[in-house]
């Protein structure tokens, strides 16, 4: 970020909020490298609105109030033009209040789909209807999974997503077990040994990062993976690697984009990433790609609207603005980006796309 007192007119300053600690810290190196790729690509062109962009990553793995306090201090300098990031919804809610509509805030993570976001918050991550709910419906239709257990971290996204899943199920008794645990929970024995879990044909994992890989290892160690499927909207290639290939059997993951040979842009993007960062860089993953897309979405919106002014952006969204990103054309319904939805099955430590679900 520019030094205090430096004129901001020459650059566009972007805050990226990514977790550098806690269960989500597993994603930080990949996100940082993906953001660098997006920044380099944009600056090799015309930047944003003819200005070079510069990015500053701050730690979104801290308590939400602490993150919001730092964001508020940086916004007070008048030299922050936009916020993007991959972090929890609890952090988003706190940061949105601190931002108070001053700059556009592109949230790149799947979210809970509540309609009460503050002005300036643009949801470029997946809505549960085209993501978790769609995946649960597909598994019911194609694999005959009718009875579910849910385990989630104890904050807004897992709880609200669980409600959305429950509302989508025809049978009110379809969820046989539901538990929410703190971030960083070391053992899931109470859930895994609960007798009601034996009645479930599938498990919906609404946890973050390292918690997902830890749960997968314990789940498979108990021999459950052979007979019970799992679906996790918060698993990427880092989660697969952390769990190990043996922990990923019968695991399904929905996403709007996979870095997969079946998707041409995914293949090309991985090649560009490797040319920039080398063979030993952190993996470019589904989640780090979301941060890459958010930076490019900011550029696409700004160039189409001609401004980063939040009221101007809000009016453009209401008018049905469309813009271009490396992943293709994008539009919004309200403040929610329109995007496809795919379902992949874990194959060792990689993903195999099996269907489009949205």
């Amino acid at each position: 970020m520019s030094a205090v007192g430096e004129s901001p007119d020459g650059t566009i300053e972007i805050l990226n909020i990514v977790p550098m600690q806690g269960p989500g810290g597993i994603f930080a190196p990949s996100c940082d490298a993906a953001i660098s790729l997006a920044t380099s690509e944009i600056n090799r062109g015309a930047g944003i609105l003819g200005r070079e962009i510069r990015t500053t990553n701050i730690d979104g793995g801290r308590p939400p109030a602490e993150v919001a306090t730092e964001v508020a201090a940086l916004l007070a300098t008048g030299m922050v033009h936009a916020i993007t990031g991959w972090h929890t919804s609890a952090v988003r809610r706190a940061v949105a209040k601190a931002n108070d509509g001053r700059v556009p805030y592109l949230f790149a993570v799947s979210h809970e789909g509540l309609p009460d976001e503050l002005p300036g918050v643009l949801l470029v991550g997946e809505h549960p209807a085209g993501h978790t709910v769609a995946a649960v419906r597909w598994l019911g239709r194609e694999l005959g999974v009718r009875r579910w257990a849910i385990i989630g971290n104890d904050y807004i996204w897992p709880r609200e997503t669980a409600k959305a899943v429950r509302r989508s199920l025809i049978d009110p008794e379809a969820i046989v077990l539901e538990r929410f645990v703190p971030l960083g929970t070391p053992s899931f024995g109470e859930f895994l040994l609960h007798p009601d879990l034996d009645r479930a044909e599938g498990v919906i994992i609404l946890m973050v990062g390292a918690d997902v890989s830890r749960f997968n290892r314990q789940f498979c160690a108990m021999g459950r993976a052979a007979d019970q499927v799992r679906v996790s909207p918060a698993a990427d290639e880092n989660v697969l690697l952390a769990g190990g290939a043996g922990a990923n059997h019968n695991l399904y993951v929905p996403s709007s984009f996979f870095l997969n040979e079946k998707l041409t842009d995914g293949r090309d993007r991985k090649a560009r990433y490797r040319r920039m960062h080398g063979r030993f860089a952190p993996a470019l993953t589904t989640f780090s790609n979301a941060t890459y897309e958010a930076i490019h979405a900011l550029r696409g919106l700004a160039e189409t609207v001609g401004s980063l002014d939040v009221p101007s952006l809000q009016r453009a969204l209401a008018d049905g603005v469309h813009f271009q990103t490396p992943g293709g054309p994008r539009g919004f319904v309200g403040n929610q980006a329109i995007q496809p939805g795919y379902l992949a099955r874990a194959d060792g430590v990689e993903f195999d796309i099996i269907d489009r679900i949205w």
Side-chain angles (χ1 to χ4, degrees):
M1 178 167 291
S2 303
V4 174
E6 180 181 327
S7 170
D9 291 343
T11 60
I12 298 289
E13 304 281 354
I14 304 169
L15 286 185
N16 289 294
I17 307 172
V18 295
M20 301 177 190
Q21 58 184 291
I26 191 173
F27 306 123
S30 294
C31 288
D32 186 37
I35 289 164
S36 295
L37 176 62
T39 301
S40 173
E41 290 175 346
I42 290 170
N43 283 338
R44 283 203 305 271
I48 292 180
L49 301 175
R51 294 155 67 178
E52 180 184 30
I53 65 170
R54 289 196 281 194
T55 60
T56 299
N57 289 355
I58 67 172
D59 183 6
R62 296 168 294 167
E66 190 174 326
V67 179
T69 297
E70 182 174 3
V71 170
L74 292 169
L75 286 167
T77 67
M79 297 192 310
V80 174
H81 300 88
I83 303 169
T84 66
W86 197 105
H87 46 271
T88 68
S89 290
V91 169
R92 183 189 79 244
R93 306 287 275 196
V95 169
K97 289 180 181 177
N99 180 41
D100 195 27
R102 283 181 280 186
V103 301
Y105 177 12
L106 279 67
F107 184 68
V109 193
S110 61
H111 57 90
E112 60 278 6
L114 295 178
D116 61 344
E117 296 298 336
L118 294 173
V121 177
L122 304 180
L123 301 170
V124 295
E126 299 93 343
H127 188 283
H131 194 237
T132 310
V133 170
V136 168
R137 284 177 172 160
W138 188 97
L139 291 164
R141 182 178 67 250
E142 301 295 329
L143 301 186
V145 181
R146 296 287 182 265
R147 294 187 303 277
W148 293 94
I150 295 175
I151 184 164
N153 290 128
D154 192 7
Y155 70 96
I156 186 172
W157 168 69
R159 286 190 173 274
E160 293 298 327
T161 302
K163 291 177 185 177
V165 170
R166 187 181 292 278
R167 288 193 299 267
S168 75
L169 296 170
I170 296 173
D171 180 3
E173 305 299 322
I175 297 177
V176 299
L177 178 64
E178 185 172 342
R179 292 289 186 274
F180 297 95
V181 299
L183 289 159
T185 293
S187 173
F188 305 98
E190 188 274 334
F191 179 85
L192 293 170
L193 294 170
H194 198 289
D196 286 345
L197 184 57
D198 295 335
R199 299 169 51 212
E201 298 161 326
V203 178
I204 302 166
I205 308 169
L206 301 174
M207 293 190 290
V208 176
D211 285 5
V212 180
S213 56
R214 192 180 308 113
F215 176 84
N216 284 336
R217 287 196 300 270
Q218 294 176 26
F219 184 90
C220 289
M222 295 189 66
R224 290 191 174 276
D227 300 313
Q228 293 173 310
V229 304
R230 282 157 295 151
V231 58
S232 173
D236 75 343
E237 292 84 346
N238 281 317
V239 170
L240 300 188
L241 286 164
N248 302 325
H249 177 66
N250 240 351
L251 174 66
Y252 294 81
V253 175
S255 178
S256 61
F257 188 90
F258 286 98
L259 291 151
N260 186 283
E261 297 299 312
K262 294 180 180 178
L263 299 176
T264 301
D265 188 60
R267 183 169 61 248
D268 294 344
R269 196 172 303 182
K270 287 171 75 172
R272 297 196 302 273
Y273 179 87
R274 286 176 179 166
R275 283 196 298 271
M276 179 175 184
H277 293 298
R279 290 191 306 152
F280 301 107
L284 179 61
T285 71
T286 302
F287 290 161
S288 59
N289 174 74
T291 63
Y292 169 95
E293 281 284 322
I295 299 289
H296 274 287
L298 181 70
R299 181 206 61 79
L301 266 174
E303 296 299 329
T304 301
V305 177
S307 173
L308 283 173
D309 172 65
V310 168
S312 298
L313 292 175
Q314 297 288 139
R315 286 193 295 272
L317 295 185
D319 290 340
V321 66
H322 283 75
F323 57 95
Q324 194 70 30
T325 75
R330 292 286 184 265
F332 280 81
V333 173
N335 67 343
Q336 171 64 54
I338 304 167
Q339 52 206 342
Y342 301 95
L343 187 67
R345 181 173 48 231
D347 180 11
V349 294
E350 298 181 347
F351 288 116
D352 179 28
I353 299 172
I354 56 176
D355 207 349
R356 180 163 176 170
I357 56 175
W358 191 258

